[in-house]
Amino acid sequence: MSFVNAYVSEEDAKKYDLDNLWNKYNPWFIHMPEVLNSFDVHQHAWCVDKERGYWLFYCNYARNYEGPSDRPEPTSKEVFILHVDGQNIEFILDSSDLDPSDSVSTDLYPIQFAWEIVSMNPSSLPTMSKADLLTILKEALTVYKCSGLRNMEANNKAFFKFNF
């Protein structure tokens, strides 16, 4: 089995404490579980490989706490949690425009970008190297695309590559 975009069961949401994981990265906004009411399907969504017990969870944009408004402001960097071998690895990724030489038909793929790693914590596990973790991240992001299960239309219009 490989990664698939899916809604999270209530049991898995509690098991992995996804409400609090979301809230950690969204301290100034509506907290879980209330924010789930704003979605058509009132469940968490993730990209999961159930056979291996791995999952990728999108947490939101990273916040800059040094903005001119004295409030946390979103940046272009996005926070993902990759769960592997019972441990959460925090990835902060930034997307940039593709180099024109890497670009493909914009009629087919109007959304084009390249993922870059800003940070990775921890950078390895006792059972797995950084290179192995990056391979798993690439597998998950290839399925997640740009918005996972919540926006399949955007995913169908997305073309991206990895700069890592």
Side-chain angles (χ1 to χ4, degrees), residues 8-18 46 48 50:
V8 183
S9 70
E10 192 171 319
E11 294 115 17
D12 282 340
K14 286 179 181 174
K15 176 181 178 181
Y16 296 113
D17 201 16
L18 296 184
W46 62 5
V48 62
K50 288 194 179 233

Side-chain angles (χ1 to χ4, degrees), residues 44-104:
H44 287 288
W46 62 5
C47 190
V48 62
D49 180 334
K50 288 194 179 233
E51 186 173 297
R52 295 187 289 179
Y54 299 167
W55 48 262
L56 180 74
F57 185 70
Y58 175 73
C59 293
N60 212 341
Y61 287 94
R63 307 284 173 200
N64 177 355
Y65 291 87
E66 300 170 8
S69 70
D70 291 330
R71 294 178 47 175
E73 298 176 10
T75 66
S76 64
K77 297 162 183 63
E78 299 179 66
V79 180
F80 290 86
I81 301 299
L82 179 67
H83 182 85
V84 174
D85 291 350
Q87 184 157 347
N88 291 348
I89 299 101
E90 175 192 82
F91 284 92
I92 299 179
L93 305 177
D94 199 358
S95 59
S96 61
D97 292 332
L98 279 180
D99 183 291
S101 64
D102 292 331
S103 187
V104 295

